[in-house]
Amino acid sequence: MTRPSPTQPATARQSRTQTAVPTHIAIIMDGNGRWAQSRHQPRTTGHRAGISSVRAVIDHLAKSGVHYVTLFAFSTENWSRPLEEVSVLLELLGEAVRDETAELHQNDVRILHLGRLDRLSPKLRQEIQRAIELTKDNTGLTLSVAFDYGGRDEIVEATRRIVAAGIPAEEIDESLFGHYLQTPTIPDPDLVIRTGGEFRISNFLLWQSAYSEFYSTPVHWPDFDEQEMERALEAFRLRKRRFGSLSPEE
Ligand code: IPE
Ligand code: IPE
Ligand code: MG
């Protein structure tokens, strides 16, 4: 195993200057099931409807000057849902990879996957790996899809790799640990958006979101559009980030 270099890109958390546009937006795409149920439809209809929001949001953010978008699509805990719902979610991931990769590649988007691949079918795994390989040199938006992702799982896995690499305890610091996570090439999220109205992190980017601004909206994911994204961006503009320090005027 190659040992990651500690000279990777600086994280957003290291910069104290508030920029108008977040460099990295991470989204917990929640509320699909309730959106469908309120329409007397099966929950899976909500998951299908959510795909249009994904397209709209990616297009909009690419034009807004955001460089990194991370989407939470399936958590390590979501396997506990009914088999039929899990099957539809896996199917939708496969469809999205097959149908969207070519256009994303044309638009210079770099695709990444966060989370575990070992519990997906070999076919789906290969399709994801091909999309990552095809787009790896693209320099536009970086789109990370968190599927079978859990923040705790990621931290445990990083710890295992550090131990397996035989790194002495005194060499382990935050920077080294961060490079063993799945996000060594992406800065920490500046803004985490959660749709569907809950105020919790649900095991998403536990390490990376230490100083992210959190924005929760009651809007369910299938109804989250460009206008809702503008609301979130406006809320972000009004935030004062201190990172434990004091703002210049304080
Ligand atoms: C988010 O929507 C998608 C996944 C978690 C896979 P939900 O399916 O959680 O929708 P609600 O929260 O039950 O409405
Ligand atoms: C979080 O939503 C996971 C995703 C959006 C993929 P959940 O619906 O699984 O979260 P909880 O169960 O309400 O915390
Ligand atoms: Mg939910």
Side-chain angles (χ1 to χ4, degrees), residues 30-31 34 43 81 194:
D30 196 25
R34 281 166 285 163
R43 294 176 51 82
R81 295 197 177 190
R194 180 164 189 147

Side-chain angles (χ1 to χ4, degrees), residues 17-244:
T17 358
Q18 167 72 334
T19 48
V21 180
T23 301
H24 180 182
I25 299 186
I27 309 178
I28 303 173
M29 308 184 291
D30 196 25
N32 294 348
R34 281 166 285 163
W35 181 91
Q37 281 167 331
S38 71
R39 285 162 177 73
H40 309 287
Q41 305 273 333
R43 294 176 51 82
T44 49
T45 309
H47 297 314
R48 287 191 186 280
I51 303 281
S52 320
S53 302
V54 172
R55 280 201 204 96
V57 160
I58 294 171
D59 285 354
H60 187 64
L61 290 181
K63 287 183 213 128
S64 309
V66 171
H67 297 291
Y68 300 86
V69 175
T70 300
L71 301 176
F72 199 11
F74 191 90
S75 73
T76 47
E77 289 72 34
N78 288 146
W79 293 108
S80 64
R81 295 197 177 190
L83 188 61
E84 201 225 311
E85 181 167 346
V86 170
S87 306
V88 169
L89 289 164
L90 288 165
E91 223 175 272
L92 288 175
L93 175 67
E95 278 174 28
V97 178
R98 284 189 290 280
D99 300 348
E100 310 291 340
T101 300
E103 195 178 325
L104 289 170
H105 183 44
Q106 252 177 11
N107 293 334
D108 206 21
V109 174
R110 174 170 73 128
I111 300 173
L112 296 177
H113 169 264
L114 302 182
R116 298 178 58 159
L117 287 170
D118 60 308
R119 300 192 283 200
L120 304 181
S121 71
K123 179 169 177 271
L124 186 51
R125 189 156 59 230
Q126 268 172 23
E127 285 169 340
I128 294 169
Q129 282 164 337
R130 256 188 253 129
I132 294 169
E133 179 61 27
L134 176 73
T135 61
K136 72 177 189 322
D137 296 324
N138 290 346
T139 55
L141 186 81
T142 294
L143 171 66
S144 306
V145 179
F147 196 103
D148 199 7
Y149 172 85
R152 287 184 172 183
D153 183 78
E154 182 189 27
I155 289 169
V156 168
E157 190 52 35
T159 310
R160 283 206 186 115
R161 292 175 56 218
I162 289 169
V163 171
I167 296 174
E170 59 277 13
E171 277 188 32
I172 302 171
D173 58 13
E174 290 185 17
S175 164
L176 181 133
F177 198 88
H179 290 120
Y180 276 86
L181 294 170
Q182 295 198 347
T183 49
T185 66
I186 54 184
D188 290 344
D190 302 288
L191 174 64
V192 174
I193 297 174
R194 180 164 189 147
T195 63
E198 314 291 356
F199 289 84
R200 56 174 170 258
I201 203 83
S202 298
N203 205 9
F204 187 44
L205 298 178
L206 295 182
W207 175 280
Q208 298 87 342
S209 67
Y211 270 102
S212 304
E213 293 298 319
F214 193 76
Y215 176 86
S216 175
T217 168
V219 173
H220 293 315
W221 178 247
D223 286 332
F224 192 87
D225 56 12
E226 290 90 339
Q227 208 185 335
E228 293 300 334
M229 181 54 82
E230 279 306 313
R231 286 204 175 108
L233 292 172
E234 178 55 23
F236 177 80
R237 273 191 282 275
L238 299 173
R239 301 283 175 90
K240 270 207 175 73
R241 303 182 80 187
R242 297 191 190 84
F243 302 97

